[in-house]
Amino acid sequence: MVAETVGVASAATPGLLRRVEAVVFLTVFLDLVGFGIVIPMLPFYVQSMGGSARTVGILLGCFSFTQLLATPLLGRYSDRHGRRAVILLSLLANAVAMALFALASYRLMLPLLFASRILAGATSGNIAACQAALADVTTKETRARAMGRIGAGIGLGMVLGPTLGGLFSGLGPWVPPLLAGGMALVGFLGALVAMPETHPVEKRAAAKSQTRWAALQDPSRRKALGLVLGLFFAVFLSMTTLQVAFALLVQARLGWGSKEVGYTFAVVGGLGMVIQGGLIGPLSRAAGEFRLLLCGALLLACGMAGLAVSHHAIPMMVAVVLVGIGTGFLQPLISSQASQVAPPSQQGAVLGLAQSCGGLARTVGPVASGWMYASWSTQAPFLTGMVSALAAAGLSVLLRRETRDDAER
């Protein structure tokens, strides 16, 4: 078992960075395999248990509400006690959550399905600790590329998860989540052996002496941090539309089922994997992070508008590609910005708070999307997603001005 603490002097060692990146990549990949397996087919699972579109929204809202509560707590815990323990605990809990999902699918028990998603929401709070671990061992110049590795893990998980869900759902609805749980258990054993502690003891001591809201109380960081938190909320509010309403939309307009929806989500995940795994570093150096932020938000807005008006497969897939490219740019860059406005001893807390704002959007968004789809029109959730993406574009412009002003001061 590896439990040594990485010191500041070794933080830039290429071998160390590759090792931390590998474990973090594996952790978020396994989280998103479980997420990707169930999300495209979740409406069909719920329908088989007697639920409706509103039930789907509430179920996803429960997941996100639990994530909202857990993420800042786990981020702050990682500041005070280290990143490794949080990552190990979350992988083990993920395996348990997926086992509960498999049992719910086998027995057609909707309450047990809710219990599974609530535990999975708490499990997914590990992303703040994963991002903080990378922030511990990277510099400002290399952070966007490193955060892109997390995005690549998310993208690969979203490719493999829906694909596995589509392929293995024919063997029984309980098979894909059980497979995801087994993978999470393997990931736990791998992290137990390979993950070093990246957060030095002296920084943990400094975090213990600070209050939970220390970063928000710093006048020099408050406005920039507020803009970053707004970005997280706006981006994830737009993205949740796809998770809730897309399967229902294409079923109604195109007659697609769980397999076609799963493959479509795999396309989105594949785009994210390519962009965040290999392109985001060179692109951010060439164009600048803020230009890519703005570009990603505008592409996401165009994709949401396209989904709202498309009634045929080709324009629908063009819109999906725009959404995939936009989110591929946005996810690592907003995390990079959050880590840059955070004090060194508060990385986990600030990243956790940022993810919590995303969790708030994922709590409100699914419920609102399900309600709008059922009560207003099939277009309403996607038009709302477009407006949220445009709000993210505006916030990225304001954040650029604020950070430029701070640099000049």
Side-chain angles (χ1 to χ4, degrees), residues 158-341:
M158 285 299 292
V159 170
L160 187 59
T163 303
L164 289 175
L167 289 175
F168 288 94
S169 60
L171 300 177
W174 53 272
V175 174
L178 194 63
L179 178 63
M183 294 172 69
L185 190 58
V186 171
F188 166 79
L189 296 175
L192 187 66
V193 173
M195 181 65 185
E197 179 52 66
T198 62
H199 198 42
V201 174
E202 60 271 18
K203 289 186 179 179
R204 282 182 257 168
K208 291 177 182 179
S209 68
Q210 294 175 331
T211 66
R212 180 175 298 179
W213 310 111
L216 289 174
Q217 293 167 355
D218 184 348
S220 66
R221 301 176 187 268
R222 189 181 300 154
K223 187 173 180 180
L225 180 56
L227 291 169
V228 167
L229 298 181
L231 262 173
F232 268 80
F233 183 83
V235 168
F236 283 101
L237 187 65
S238 182
M239 289 168 56
T240 56
T241 302
L242 201 69
Q243 298 165 7
V244 177
F246 180 77
L248 300 172
L249 179 77
V250 295
Q251 184 184 46
R253 291 185 180 177
L254 304 177
W256 288 2
S258 60
K259 183 174 292 186
E260 292 87 355
V261 172
Y263 292 155
T264 302
F265 273 77
V267 169
V268 176
L271 289 168
M273 179 181 63
V274 171
I275 292 170
Q276 297 175 61
L279 298 180
I280 195 67
L283 287 174
S284 64
R285 288 192 297 271
E289 290 193 13
F290 287 102
R291 287 192 181 92
L292 284 186
L293 267 176
L294 182 59
C295 179
L298 293 176
L299 286 172
L300 179 58
C302 291
M304 286 294 167
L307 291 173
V309 301
S310 296
H311 289 267
H312 300 282
I314 292 177
M316 188 75 73
M317 289 307 300
V318 170
V320 166
V321 168
L322 292 176
V323 169
I325 296 173
T327 55
F329 285 160
L330 287 167
Q331 287 183 311
L333 292 174
I334 59 177
S335 298
S336 176
Q337 290 301 311
S339 71
Q340 290 177 40
V341 301

